[in-house]
Amino acid sequence: MNMKSKLSTGVLTLAASLALFGSNAALAQTGEARVYNSNISLAEVEAAQKAWGEALVKISDDYQSGGLAKAKATASAVLDGAYGYKLGPVLFKPTLTVEPQTFRTTKEGALSYFVGGDANFPKDSGFALKGWKKVEVSNAAVHINGDVANTMGKVSMTDKNGKVTTVDKTWTFKKDDSGVIRIVLHHSSLPYTAN
């Protein structure tokens, strides 16, 4: 293969690779070179957290307006869009799970936690079906390192009766190859209270 053919092949391979990054990726023109930046920004992290809260409210609303089937379809779409189950196991420890099913590393386990109705997870009652109307995130700290961001703080959820439930929450977000922010770790627990 001559030098011109090698150069053409290399340019085509690079162009195909750049096309995979999608519209969410940060591409910048610098002189003659196009640069892909997969770093996560604080704004992207906060947008992903806000979207998670809005999705929880949407699942609750869909349950109220269309029953379990509608809520389950919405929850499944949320898991596909927000979580990284296609990247591998997600390290998900929901607030209200017990042994032997405390951890939900598969989409099926997470879906059951959010909407219940799965005989394989008989203790799940559907956390997202509890009439949530508002979610607020308050980060204690955010640590960003390249295409990965970790957050830790409080999430307060208000139900249809105005009751507020606050949980301690840790998330890890990873920007995937298409530039989409995915949750790859989600740990939630009720705050500790001394006797």
Side-chain angles (χ1 to χ4, degrees):
M1 182 180 282
N2 65 32
M3 184 63 131
K4 188 174 180 181
S5 295
K6 285 182 183 177
L7 184 57
S8 291
T9 302
V11 168
L12 289 174
T13 302
L14 176 61
S17 297
L18 288 172
L20 292 175
F21 291 125
S23 61
N24 291 331
L27 285 172
Q29 191 75 28
T30 57
E32 295 297 316
R34 290 187 67 177
V35 177
Y36 171 73
N37 181 350
S38 65
N39 292 340
I40 295 177
S41 70
L42 178 59
E44 288 174 310
V45 170
E46 290 172 340
Q49 292 175 318
K50 182 178 181 196
W52 183 91
E54 290 170 349
L56 183 65
V57 170
K58 174 75 170 143
I59 296 166
S60 274
D61 287 348
D62 284 355
Y63 178 64
Q64 293 300 314
S65 68
L68 183 58
K70 187 174 182 181
K72 187 172 185 178
T74 301
S76 181
V78 167
L79 288 168
D80 287 341
Y83 287 77
Y85 285 104
K86 290 184 180 176
L87 302 174
V90 171
L91 310 179
F92 182 22
K93 191 282 176 194
T95 312
L96 304 175
T97 55
V98 295
E99 287 292 345
Q101 297 177 320
T102 302
F103 304 105
R104 303 301 172 91
T105 59
T106 65
K107 179 185 173 186
E108 293 74 25
L111 184 60
S112 178
Y113 177 72
F114 284 119
V115 298
D118 186 330
N120 294 314
F121 300 91
K123 295 182 180 179
D124 289 347
S125 60
F127 180 78
L129 308 181
K130 300 188 182 300
W132 303 116
K133 294 298 178 188
K134 181 179 170 186
V135 176
E136 295 178 301
V137 177
S138 177
N139 290 316
V142 178
H143 181 267
I144 298 173
N145 187 358
D147 64 353
V148 175
N150 299 292
T151 68
M152 182 179 285
K154 302 278 187 188
V155 173
S156 297
M157 298 160 287
T158 305
D159 70 15
K160 62 188 175 187
N161 300 316
K163 180 182 175 193
V164 177
T165 301
T166 300
V167 296
D168 296 335
K169 195 169 292 287
T170 301
W171 275 306
T172 296
F173 299 93
K174 178 168 177 38
K175 187 178 279 192
D176 69 14
D177 288 345
S178 61
V180 177
I181 307 298
R182 305 280 183 189
I183 298 168
V184 294
L185 180 145
H186 176 175
H187 184 280
S188 187
S189 58
L190 292 169
Y192 172 74
T193 55
N195 296 336

